[in-house]
């Protein structure tokens, strides 16, 4: 995604609010995805870990970790000033434990925006922007250098299905699952189609979702060990690795 796109997508408050409003009907998938990220961080729950969330937006994933870990602190990096401005507003209870910094993962310059190393690097729904020219392959190497020994990198993201027919099959499976959820949650008064219609599209350019096997190979190449896809539901995944 080019930096100029910020003005119409992640740089725009209305776009962000519209995007965030989809959270409710996607909750049954997103919630377990987030739970899996939290559970894969290896340090003891009361350890004073230092966390980095890349493409953090307003820090939703970092905030979930901090609420799970009373002594953790987080640095949230994002390219969008509008997203970062929302961070303290959305997480007032965590203001002393969260820092928001601006930087674009498009170039290694972002490394100057964050100081030091981290016990855990996390990300959600952001790194799929960087598949072109194998961008994520380089980012994984940059992230590896920021992770302390004994730490981890965990990414909650989307990947491609390996064939067209599997893409279709996954889409149907996901929609049927979510449709049942919306019907049950609304006591039969709504369905997925209506929920989708009530949250107009927040399309923000191509999602260059990766191929899972390639993502895992790039993590191993960067130096991570015990690399795996920790959780998967259709094309929604949590994958990552650890630093010995
Ligand atoms: C779908 S949002 C996810 C935000 C957050 N991680 C979450 O799950 O709520 C994608 C985020 O990626 C950020 N992003 C896109 N391109 C970026 C770049 N080049 N560098 C840093 N962040 C970027 C956007 O600003 C946006 O906040």
């Amino acid at each position: 995604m080019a930096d100029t796109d910020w003005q119409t997508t992640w740089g725009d408050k209305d776009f962000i609010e519209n995007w965030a409003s989809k959270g409710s009907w996607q909750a049954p998938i997103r919630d377990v995805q987030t739970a899996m990220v939290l559970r894969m961080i290896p340090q003891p729950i009361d350890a004073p870990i230092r966390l980095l969330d890349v493409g953090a937006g307003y820090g939703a994933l970092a905030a979930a970790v901090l609420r799970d870990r009373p002594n953790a602190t987080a640095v949230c990096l994002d390219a969008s000033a509008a997203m970062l401005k929302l961070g303290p507003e959305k997480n007032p209870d965590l203001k002393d434990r969260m820092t928001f910094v601006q930087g674009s993962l498009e170039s290694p310059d972002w490394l100057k925006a964050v100081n030091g190393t981290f016990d855990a690097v996390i990300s959600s729904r952001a790194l799929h922007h960087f598949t072109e020219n194998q961008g994520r392959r380089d980012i994984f190497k940059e992230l590896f250098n920021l992770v302390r020994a004994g730490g981890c990198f965990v990414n909650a993201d989307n990947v491609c299905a390996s064939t067209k027919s599997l893409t279709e099959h996954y889409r149907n499976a996901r929609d049927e699952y979510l449709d049942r959820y919306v019907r049950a949650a609304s006591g039969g008064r709504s369905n997925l189609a209506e929920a989708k219609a009530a949250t107009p599209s927040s399309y923000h350019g191509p999602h260059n979702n990766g191929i899972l096997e390639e993502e895992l190979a790039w993590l191993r190449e960067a130096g991570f060990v015990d690399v795996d896809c920790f959780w998967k539901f259709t094309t929604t995944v949590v994958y990552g690795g650890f630093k010995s």
Side-chain angles (χ1 to χ4, degrees), residues 6 10 19 55-57 78-79 83 103-106 124-126 129-130:
W6 303 130
W10 304 117
W19 166 78
D78 202 278
M83 272 289 199
S104 171
L105 294 160
E106 295 277 352
S124 90
R125 299 184 278 165
H129 289 306
F130 303 99

Side-chain angles (χ1 to χ4, degrees), residues 1-3 6 9-11 15-16 19-20 30 33-34 53-62 77-84 101-107 110 122-130 139 156-158 204 207:
M1 179 178 284
D3 281 352
W6 303 130
T9 58
W10 304 117
F15 173 89
I16 293 168
W19 166 78
R30 297 295 180 210
Q33 188 184 30
T34 300
D53 185 349
V54 287
Y58 48 72
L61 184 62
L77 177 119
D78 202 278
S80 159
M83 272 289 199
L84 294 168
V101 296
Q102 192 170 11
S104 171
L105 294 160
E106 295 277 352
S107 104
W110 73 270
I122 56 171
S123 187
S124 90
R125 299 184 278 165
L127 294 180
H128 59 244
H129 289 306
F130 303 99
I139 291 172
D157 215 334
N158 302 307
H204 53 276
H207 283 61

Side-chain angles (χ1 to χ4, degrees), residues 10 13 15-23 53 55-64 67 76-92 94 98-100 124-125:
W10 304 117
K13 194 164 187 293
F15 173 89
I16 293 168
E17 291 297 347
N18 177 37
W19 166 78
S21 68
K22 291 188 171 170
D53 185 349
Y58 48 72
L61 184 62
R67 293 195 176 100
C76 297
L77 177 119
D78 202 278
S80 159
M83 272 289 199
L84 294 168
K85 188 168 173 287
L86 284 172
E89 293 170 25
K90 297 247 183 205
N91 309 292
L94 298 170
M98 288 179 106
T99 310
F100 291 87
S124 90
R125 299 184 278 165

